[in-house]
Amino acid sequence: MFDTAAELRPRIGDRAGVWDFLRLFTAAWGLTGEPRSFDRPLPAALREAYALGGVLEATAPGVEDDVLVFHCADPEITDTWWGVPLAAADQDDPPVVINTGGGWQPYAERVSLVCVDIALTTVVQEHDVELCNAAELPAERAGPALAAFDRLPLPDLPMWIDVEESPVRWYSGPGQLLRTHGDGGLWLWVSARSTAALDSLYAAMPGAEGYWSN
């Protein structure tokens, strides 16, 4: 069964490897979307990401405040935007900034890494509701609950819903995907490919019983 950390780790070092991972990931988790191309000049990483399909929105990127905006959060959750500073748009895989309502702030060093984060977020937010869950874990429960899972080789990222609840970190097991945000006590979001994988996830998390939302 697809193990996100194991598949990403050998591919994270270069852009081509990340796209190879995302093809595998979107197929494994059933993320679909039409490949797109646009007439306007774009950084190579954005052109390639749109050509993948199933990762970025089909709408064309636009410019706002000298930033090439290419992704937005679900407006029912929060008004947050991701983009590339125009000053860096000539780079193949440029850095990404984020605006949660208070102006543009650094988010990640590479567009390709943000595309991974976007795909992972789609799974924990939009996958089968019967195969997802969330828990708010106190500090003493967090470490034991995560010990059986592999940390994905992504940097700590700002929590785009509320930056004060940063950082975001990702973990996985076979057929399982986990996102945490916060330090000490934290919020945990999980998604699984099957009921068996979800039951296995619960069984591997000693002390998390009683904290799940569902």
Side-chain angles (χ1 to χ4, degrees), residues 198-212:
L198 186 61
D199 289 343
S200 175
L201 183 150
Y202 291 148
M205 298 187 126
E209 304 91 345
Y211 290 95
W212 295 107

Side-chain angles (χ1 to χ4, degrees), residues 10-213:
R11 297 179 171 93
I12 195 69
D14 62 75
R15 201 166 77 246
V18 169
W19 303 148
D20 185 35
F21 164 79
L22 282 171
R23 291 184 188 95
L24 296 171
F25 181 85
T26 55
W29 286 91
L31 304 185
T32 60
E34 291 297 321
R36 292 295 307 273
S37 61
F38 300 101
D39 293 335
R40 68 172 303 152
L42 295 174
L46 276 182
R47 288 200 314 272
E48 294 160 0
Y50 281 113
L52 285 175
V55 178
L56 296 181
E57 295 98 336
T59 53
V63 174
E64 181 179 329
D65 299 329
D66 294 323
V67 172
L68 181 64
V69 179
F70 66 87
H71 180 64
C72 64
D74 182 341
E76 294 186 4
I77 298 175
T78 185
D79 289 324
T80 298
W81 304 84
W82 287 254
V84 171
L86 291 183
D90 60 342
Q91 300 177 30
D92 286 344
D93 200 359
V96 173
V97 292
I98 190 171
N99 189 342
T100 61
W104 294 100
Q105 302 293 329
Y107 188 73
E109 293 181 353
R110 292 161 50 193
V111 163
S112 56
L113 297 184
V114 173
C115 289
V116 173
D117 179 58
I118 289 170
L120 301 176
T121 300
T122 300
V123 166
V124 298
Q125 289 186 178
E126 300 179 15
H127 188 49
D128 186 342
V129 66
E130 298 297 325
L131 297 175
C132 296
N133 213 336
E136 187 175 13
L137 298 178
E140 66 273 14
R141 305 285 187 181
L146 294 168
F149 302 93
D150 290 336
R151 171 85 188 269
L152 269 64
L154 291 171
D156 288 0
L157 295 168
M159 182 52 191
W160 43 270
I161 297 176
D162 184 350
V163 293
E164 293 183 358
E165 296 185 11
S166 302
V168 170
R169 299 182 176 113
W170 292 95
Y171 301 82
S172 76
Q176 303 157 340
L177 186 64
L178 304 87
R179 181 185 72 185
T180 68
H181 63 86
D183 254 334
L186 50 80
W187 269 99
L188 169 68
W189 305 79
V190 304
S191 189
R193 288 289 297 133
S194 66
T195 300
L198 186 61
D199 289 343
S200 175
L201 183 150
Y202 291 148
M205 298 187 126
E209 304 91 345
Y211 290 95
W212 295 107
S213 297

